[in-house]
Amino acid sequence: QVQLVESGGGLVQAGGSLRLSCVASGRTVSNYAMGWFRQAPGKEREFVAAITRSAYTTYADSVKGRFTISRDNAKNTVYLQMNSLKHEDTAIYYCAADRGVGVPTTTSTYDYWGQGTQVTVSS
């Protein structure tokens, strides 16, 4: 079992930056592939970025070149650096952990979820 707690969300102007953090407890994040998802009001939860145990990363096309996912296994933390934010990035952002192998990009693949952190980008 692993518990995930996100932080770092907030209100930012378009073009600005935020860094989200996801701290894991219970198990070390190095044992999991980690991902970030987001859900805007009235929309389904969608994939944003993932990082595998071997540190391979993948991104949704909508954030590629603007967002960066990384992990610090010593701190048991995964980060999402978000630059050049747009109004359409406004959503609740969730951190998730996957016990399996591969490059997980779907919600059904993940085993554990955090409670989410709100990101609001004003236009």
Side-chain angles (χ1 to χ4, degrees):
Q1 188 87 10
V2 61
Q3 293 78 43
L4 304 171
V5 178
E6 304 96 333
S7 64
L11 174 64
V12 63
Q13 289 187 334
S17 298
L18 282 174
R19 188 177 78 158
L20 305 183
S21 299
C22 172
V23 178
S25 60
R27 298 291 295 273
T28 175
V29 295
S30 62
N31 292 329
Y32 299 87
M34 302 296 294
W36 286 96
F37 288 74
R38 66 187 182 187
Q39 188 166 17
K43 295 187 177 181
E44 293 187 352
R45 193 169 298 188
E46 65 175 6
F47 171 75
V48 175
I51 184 166
T52 67
R53 300 179 195 183
S54 60
Y56 174 83
T57 59
T58 188
Y59 299 90
D61 288 343
S62 59
V63 306
K64 202 171 294 183
R66 300 188 297 123
F67 290 11
T68 303
I69 188 171
S70 62
R71 65 196 303 162
D72 185 335
N73 291 336
K75 295 183 178 180
N76 234 22
T77 301
V78 176
Y79 302 100
L80 185 68
Q81 177 67 43
M82 306 187 294
N83 299 328
S84 302
L85 282 161
K86 305 175 181 180
H87 178 67
E88 50 264 43
D89 294 319
T90 296
I92 300 174
Y93 283 70
Y94 297 90
C95 174
D98 172 29
R99 295 174 296 183
V101 299
V103 185
T105 61
T106 58
T107 56
S108 60
T109 306
Y110 286 83
D111 302 293
Y112 304 103
W113 292 84
Q115 294 300 306
T117 185
Q118 176 71 48
V119 171
T120 303
V121 183
S122 62
S123 55

